[in-house]
Amino acid sequence: GPTLRLLLGDQLDPLHPWFGERRADVVYVLMEVRQETDYVRHHAQKVLAIFAAMRALAQQLRANGHRVRYVTIDDPSSRQTLTGNLDALTRHYRAAAVEYQHPDEWRLDALLREWGADAPVPVRAVDSAHFLAPRDGVTRALAGHRQWVMEHFYRRMRRQHRVLMDGDAPAGGQWNFDADNRQPWRGEPPEPPDPRPCHDQQALWRTIEAAGVATIGDPQADTLRWPLTRAEALAQLDAFVAHALPHFGPYQDALSHTHTRLFHSQLSFALNVKLLHPREVIARAEAAWRSGDAPLASVEGFVRQILGWREYVRGVYWAHMPGYTARNALGHQRPLPRWYWDGQTRMACLRAAIGQTLAGAYAHHIQRLMVTGNFALLLGCDPAEVHRWYLGVYIDAFEWVEAPNTLGMSQWADGGLMATKPYVSSASYLQRMGDHCRACPYDPRQRVGERACPFNALYWDFLARQRERLAANPRMAMMLRQLDRMEPETLAATRQHAEALRQRADAL
Ligand code: FAD
């Protein structure tokens, strides 16, 4: 019998070595299963885009002469689990062997490993040929350090992969151009047009709904804006490099009430489902600098996200799973406010970030970190629930990248392994980096009272609450000095207001 080769929904790389030769004795297996639609409640566009991209790859493989078995979500013979279907298909084809690519999620890695150990045929795992560092690359680079500082790992990666290097020195003589970046955006330069494709996926959406899959957010099935093939992803990459990359650096931390993408690439979906290889995205960005089409500060800032952060969070994930998703170093227990699920809050920045998320399954990094993440942390929300929210609502949310960002970087639930300090701020940061406050009924300059921006009291209360734990951290010294300068009565009133805000968090 043939060899069955399993392709997961985020393993859609048409350039994988598997496809290098056409083999009559190989059947590629793709499955839309309830196990994967239901492990968390996903955004409608995420389910839709993944299934649509899987279908597109299957079609492409068939057109290239490969054998494909595609199990649709409404296939009556489906057992609705990966291993249930693998059992059935192994028997059906009298398969001689089963192969799969190393999954990026611990959950699926464990599942397939255990299944393989008892399977009636030999089961082999191969590399997904996607990442630049191995699973244990970060562990090896940073073993022995108490804090896993991304910058150390990133510089090693720059040297090792010879990215933005002039000989042994970093291009431009500097590893980091953050000082040139981090500017607010005042409407200029204009946001480039949205380069993403537009798909009518209404038929597939009806199938998903009829199957009873529960989702969040707007499916936008008649105008689905995510790339579903490698060709579409490459076109989006081209447009990004030409029109947005030159301005990426200065505005990567900016917030806008009216413009949702600014100069971000929105390539995370294409990268995470492997339509694009990180190496080619990095190479395109570097080439734009070398040809004089984009400044080094922007190119370095962008490369850092992919060669640095993306590979780094994956290493953190594999070093600390299982268990990482249950961490709760600050003992936070509160539920997320209800309006995380419908956007119905008066706070303009949160309303915009959540509203945009539900409408488009996307928010850029600073919205995730300094708006929704910051607020959940200040309020004291249960990091496991925060984790499930982020794992569901974003088009690019896969646990290996989402969990370290949410639990480590954003919620400080790992006690500072990843983030050198908790990412918390009062309203002043949000006011400096964006224009939401002008459209908000809350006042960013007030600390207490009906009209005071809730970020303020919650911020000071957070610092007061966590004072002991944060005192040893030199990066917190300035914030804590400000706290210590506050009059005791002022602090008491601020903390009292924070408690009142917590009590009516659902109504903010
Ligand atoms: P750009 O700003 O254009 O950046 C380019 C690419 O760099 C991204 O496509 C992405 O692949 C990579 N990248 C940038 N920042 C990070 C980062 N911190 N970690 C890993 N890769 C990064 N990213 C995900 O891909 N999936 C997630 O589920 C996810 N969850 C997040 C949750 C929280 C709480 C936070 C704070 C961040 C999360 N991120 C996640 C990281 C980051 O916000 C997104 O990768 C980014 O916003 C995607 O938009 P973009 O493609 O326009 O990115």
Side-chain angles (χ1 to χ4, degrees):
T3 294
L4 302 184
R5 284 179 170 174
L6 174 67
L7 289 164
L8 297 171
D10 66 348
Q11 296 177 336
L12 307 181
D13 173 6
L15 302 185
H16 188 275
W18 267 357
F19 310 125
E21 52 174 349
R22 215 172 297 144
R23 284 175 48 178
D25 63 341
V26 168
V27 178
Y28 291 99
V29 177
L30 295 95
M31 319 172 189
E32 302 169 352
V33 283
R34 292 303 297 266
Q35 177 189 347
E36 295 308 292
T37 58
D38 294 6
Y39 68 82
V40 70
R41 190 183 277 236
H42 303 280
H43 198 292
Q45 287 177 39
K46 183 179 169 192
V47 179
L48 198 50
I50 292 173
F51 283 8
M54 289 168 68
R55 289 177 180 212
L57 179 68
Q59 200 177 15
Q60 218 174 311
L61 291 176
R62 285 196 184 107
N64 290 341
H66 296 287
R67 292 172 70 186
V68 176
R69 174 62 186 253
Y70 195 97
V71 180
T72 57
I73 191 75
D74 58 352
D75 183 335
S77 71
S78 174
R79 311 237 176 123
Q80 299 296 349
T81 63
L82 293 167
T83 52
N85 285 341
L86 280 177
D87 279 330
L89 293 172
T90 303
R91 270 197 302 278
H92 172 82
Y93 285 98
R94 300 180 199 287
V98 173
E99 297 179 352
Y100 63 94
Q101 298 177 16
H102 283 301
D104 291 330
E105 258 167 281
W106 191 88
R107 176 181 66 91
L108 295 180
D109 195 62
L111 178 78
L112 291 173
R113 209 174 341 101
E114 279 158 31
W115 180 79
D118 291 338
V121 295
V123 176
R124 286 183 292 267
V126 306
D127 199 80
S128 67
H130 179 77
F131 291 95
L132 297 166
R135 278 181 183 172
D136 65 353
V138 173
T139 308
R140 281 197 267 151
L142 301 179
H145 296 253
R146 191 182 68 82
Q147 235 159 13
W148 283 20
V149 179
M150 199 289 287
E151 189 73 28
H152 296 315
F153 171 74
Y154 169 62
R155 291 182 188 182
R156 280 175 75 119
M157 291 291 280
R158 288 268 297 273
R159 287 200 184 92
Q160 188 186 339
H161 295 276
R162 309 224 44 83
V163 174
L164 292 175
M165 296 299 292
D166 282 337
D168 289 333
Q174 253 168 269
W175 292 104
N176 188 319
F177 293 84
D178 278 351
D180 300 350
N181 293 337
R182 300 188 170 156
Q183 294 173 30
W185 181 70
R186 309 268 183 236
E188 283 295 326
E191 183 185 66
D194 187 345
R196 293 174 300 160
C198 198
H199 298 279
D200 184 346
Q201 290 290 343
Q202 292 179 89
L204 176 53
W205 178 244
R206 279 192 293 273
T207 308
I208 292 169
E209 272 198 307
V213 176
T215 58
I216 327 158
D218 182 351
Q220 285 187 5
D222 55 339
T223 53
L224 187 73
R225 299 299 311 256
W226 299 103
L228 304 178
T229 62
R230 181 170 156 77
E232 288 178 351
L234 283 169
Q236 194 187 323
L237 171 62
D238 281 347
F240 166 73
V241 170
H243 305 298
L245 177 63
H247 311 294
F248 179 87
Y251 306 112
Q252 62 179 319
D253 287 0
L255 290 163
S256 163
H257 198 59
T258 44
H259 293 70
T260 53
R261 290 172 286 109
L262 292 175
F263 305 95
H264 293 277
S265 68
Q266 296 198 293
L267 286 169
S268 48
F269 174 73
L271 276 164
N272 292 354
V273 300
K274 305 182 179 57
L275 294 176
L276 292 178
H277 197 283
R279 186 179 290 113
E280 71 190 328
V281 178
I282 291 165
R284 287 295 311 277
E286 175 161 6
W289 169 63
R290 297 217 179 257
S291 63
D293 295 317
L296 183 56
S298 279
V299 171
E300 189 283 313
F302 181 72
V303 164
R304 164 183 298 267
Q305 306 309 320
I306 299 178
L307 183 65
W309 283 109
R310 188 168 185 270
E311 298 282 334
Y312 165 81
V313 298
R314 174 170 180 261
V316 169
Y317 179 76
W318 283 106
H320 296 282
M321 282 298 284
Y324 193 78
T325 50
R327 296 243 188 138
N328 189 356
L330 298 175
H332 284 168
Q333 300 294 347
R334 293 195 164 263
L336 269 182
R338 267 205 302 270
W339 39 262
Y340 270 72
W341 303 98
D342 61 20
Q344 295 305 312
T345 169
R346 278 172 296 163
M347 289 180 277
C349 55
L350 281 152
R351 189 185 180 89
I354 295 170
Q356 164 195 335
T357 297
L358 297 171
Y362 176 80
H364 64 66
H365 187 66
I366 292 301
Q367 292 177 306
R368 299 187 202 194
L369 187 64
M370 297 311 290
V371 181
T372 43
N374 187 6
F375 194 83
L377 176 56
L378 292 178
L379 199 64
C381 295
D382 176 1
E385 192 188 354
V386 180
H387 159 57
R388 283 194 299 276
W389 187 80
Y390 282 101
L391 185 58
V393 294
Y394 290 113
I395 193 74
D396 52 34
F398 298 90
E399 193 181 83
W400 64 270
V401 50
E402 176 278 331
N405 270 296
T406 301
L407 292 144
M409 178 105 145
S410 164
Q411 300 299 300
W412 222 69
D414 66 7
L417 174 80
M418 267 185 75
T420 49
K421 65 173 169 50
Y423 280 94
V424 287
S425 84
S426 65
S428 65
Y429 173 88
L430 298 164
Q431 197 182 12
R432 188 165 67 248
M433 295 312 294
D435 55 4
H436 294 285
C437 299
R438 276 184 264 150
C440 187
Y442 291 106
D443 184 344
R445 287 157 315 193
Q446 291 183 37
R447 207 146 40 198
V448 295
E450 271 304 298
R451 291 201 53 234
C453 172
F455 274 95
N456 290 334
L458 291 171
Y459 170 76
W460 293 110
D461 181 65
F462 176 88
L463 290 186
R465 219 166 2 112
Q466 303 297 346
R467 197 184 192 310
E468 296 314 311
R469 199 190 306 265
L470 302 174
N473 186 339
R475 292 196 64 196
M476 295 302 296
M478 201 171 76
M479 295 187 200
L480 293 178
R481 262 200 309 279
Q482 282 178 313
L483 177 72
D484 294 341
R485 276 203 297 266
M486 209 184 272
E487 296 293 334
E489 306 81 66
T490 312
L491 180 60
T494 303
R495 297 198 65 182
Q496 208 177 349
H497 184 57
E499 187 47 37
L501 291 169
R502 270 197 204 93
Q503 294 309 324
R504 54 188 175 85
D506 281 340
L508 296 174

